[in-house]
Amino acid sequence: MFDLPALRATLSEKYDLAPSPELAAEMSDVYGRMSRVVPPADWAIHAPYVKAINALKKERNAVILGHNYMTPEIFHGVSDFVGDSLQLAIKATEVEADVIVQCGVHFMAETSKILSPDKTVLMPDMEAGCSLAESITAEGVAEMRRRYPGAPVVSYVNTTAEVKAASDICCTSSNAAQIVAAMDSDTVIMTPDQYLAQNVAKQVPHKNVVWWEGSCIVHEQYTARDLREFREWNPGTRLIAHPECPPDVVAEADFSGSTSGIIKYVTDEKPEKALLITECSMASNIADELPQVEFVGPCNMCPYMKKITLEKVLFALDTMTGQVEVDAAVAEKARLSVQRMIDLSRKLGI
């Protein structure tokens, strides 16, 4: 648990972090990327942190990898690279910086460390976990192997290093169907997201897809009835769902895709109104780039993603605390699963 008063006292000794309308005005180019969703008063609060973090990144030779579910001030203000789990996993292998700050959840930081063992990987809040990742262990993978002898295990990247190490290959929501289809087996085990697996099974009917019964606390909350009622109240709105949602929700939507797929769909289609059936910050982070689209309706917030804040990012970079380590033997096996995913994705042109 963070001692926020102590954190703030430490930062205040080195940085002037008082809200500053003047600095906010000076940094209007940065603010322009999020002005539709971040009020000017809030930007005056964020601007000193954004300035301090961006300066400290140069000093530390650090880069920030920001997931699509980060808040706009992190996503647009300090992130050097943004994207979904697959995009960030690949970027972790390409950056030449000495330090990676992972603005996402813990399994993402583990993945960066697995792929870049010689780099320092910082997690701004070690309690930024993932309900989906915590739903399975390596023992759970072994149990699935006993149930389905000889079937390959495709594990979502939303898993711990130990689970990745116990799997044959990883996947993300953007490449899951293609990777399952490419497995040399009639039966394929998918862990840990039961809904992603069920949605993939519909896309690859020639495979017998079996799954572990895990789910994401954000996406499992949506129901098909919610979508039908929203469509009645808001006719003409395009409903766009993430494949971690239950299959009946995906069936009710106009489109389903990964976070990167959702962004591409909205960018290409530019619907007049859109409801993104996923984590709240997705719509916020693309709103300014798509002024012609009105993003409407309810969304569910990930409490783990929202543990990452600007002040925690600044504290991690300033003190170099929150370093993520992975056991070397586990990392070696996990790296094979992640690298197989990256290599196969590139081969398939994903």
Side-chain angles (χ1 to χ4, degrees):
M1 183 76 67
F2 257 101
D3 184 346
L4 288 177
L7 177 154
R8 290 164 182 160
T10 298
L11 294 179
S12 66
E13 293 175 0
K14 298 184 179 181
Y15 306 97
D16 180 3
L17 299 173
S20 173
E22 295 78 17
L23 181 59
E26 289 176 19
M27 300 174 66
S28 60
D29 58 329
V30 179
Y31 181 50
R33 304 171 202 157
M34 62 188 104
S35 59
R36 188 176 170 190
V37 293
V38 176
D42 286 353
W43 175 237
I45 295 171
H46 298 321
Y49 288 90
V50 171
K51 180 181 179 181
I53 290 167
N54 286 333
L56 195 53
K57 283 192 301 185
K58 296 178 181 178
E59 194 177 310
R60 297 276 195 250
N61 189 24
V63 297
I64 293 179
L65 304 184
H67 191 267
N68 290 322
Y69 295 166
M70 288 292 98
T71 53
E73 65 272 12
I74 292 175
F75 188 88
H76 292 295
V78 300
S79 296
D80 298 286
F81 304 100
V82 295
D84 62 15
S85 299
L86 175 61
Q87 292 166 327
L88 296 184
I90 292 173
K91 189 55 64 176
T93 68
E94 298 173 345
V95 296
E96 296 182 358
D98 297 321
V99 178
I100 293 173
V101 183
Q102 197 81 36
C103 286
V105 290
H106 192 269
F107 77 80
M108 297 178 186
E110 276 192 335
T111 303
S112 289
K113 186 63 178 179
I114 288 165
L115 295 174
S116 301
D118 296 332
K119 297 185 186 301
T120 298
V121 176
L122 302 180
M123 188 69 206
D125 189 335
M126 287 291 190
E127 292 186 354
C130 172
S131 60
L132 186 55
E134 292 165 6
S135 72
I136 190 169
T137 62
E139 289 74 21
V141 175
E143 178 184 331
M144 292 298 285
R145 288 192 189 276
R146 286 192 293 271
R147 285 192 214 167
Y148 304 97
V153 176
V154 178
S155 285
Y156 203 18
V157 292
N158 299 40
T159 47
T160 63
E162 287 80 6
V163 169
K164 290 181 176 71
S167 306
D168 295 296
I169 189 170
C170 289
C171 74
T172 71
S173 54
S174 62
N175 63 20
Q178 294 94 326
I179 284 180
V180 168
M183 293 296 98
D184 187 20
S185 174
D186 292 334
T187 298
V188 178
I189 298 166
M190 289 192 70
T191 75
D193 193 310
Q194 60 181 317
Y195 297 132
L196 176 64
Q198 290 166 31
N199 288 317
V200 166
K202 292 183 178 182
Q203 297 176 264
V204 288
H206 57 290
K207 296 288 187 182
N208 176 33
V209 179
V210 295
W211 54 81
W212 182 262
E213 294 187 358
S215 56
C216 165
I217 60 170
V218 170
H219 296 99
E220 70 180 356
Q221 296 180 56
Y222 295 104
T223 68
R225 180 179 177 180
D226 291 337
L227 272 63
R228 287 192 294 270
E229 289 180 348
F230 191 87
R231 204 186 288 279
E232 289 177 12
W233 300 331
N234 298 271
T237 299
R238 207 77 63 87
L239 307 184
I240 305 162
H242 192 279
E244 287 178 27
C245 293
D248 59 343
V249 172
V250 170
E252 197 69 40
D254 297 298
F255 174 80
S256 175
S258 66
T259 55
S260 59
I262 288 172
I263 292 171
K264 185 178 187 307
Y265 178 83
V266 178
T267 302
D268 291 346
E269 294 288 320
K270 295 183 177 63
E272 184 178 342
K273 292 183 178 181
L275 168 61
L276 303 193
I277 306 157
T278 186
E279 213 278 344
C280 284
S281 290
M282 273 289 296
S284 299
N285 289 333
I286 60 178
D288 279 82
E289 296 176 9
L290 297 165
Q292 62 274 71
V293 179
E294 181 184 354
F295 293 95
V296 297
C299 65
N300 294 327
M301 188 173 291
C302 175
Y304 299 107
M305 289 283 186
K306 268 42 186 183
K307 285 183 177 290
I308 307 300
T309 63
L310 285 174
E311 65 180 357
K312 290 177 183 176
V313 173
L314 179 58
F315 183 79
L317 261 179
D318 180 79
T319 60
M320 294 299 290
T321 53
Q323 295 191 27
V324 174
E325 301 293 343
V326 180
D327 177 80
V330 171
E332 183 177 357
K333 293 179 180 178
R335 190 178 303 117
L336 287 174
S337 293
V338 177
Q339 194 61 51
R340 286 178 189 134
M341 171 187 73
I342 293 173
D343 292 344
L344 184 54
S345 295
R346 286 172 174 160
K347 180 180 178 181
L348 297 172
I350 303 171

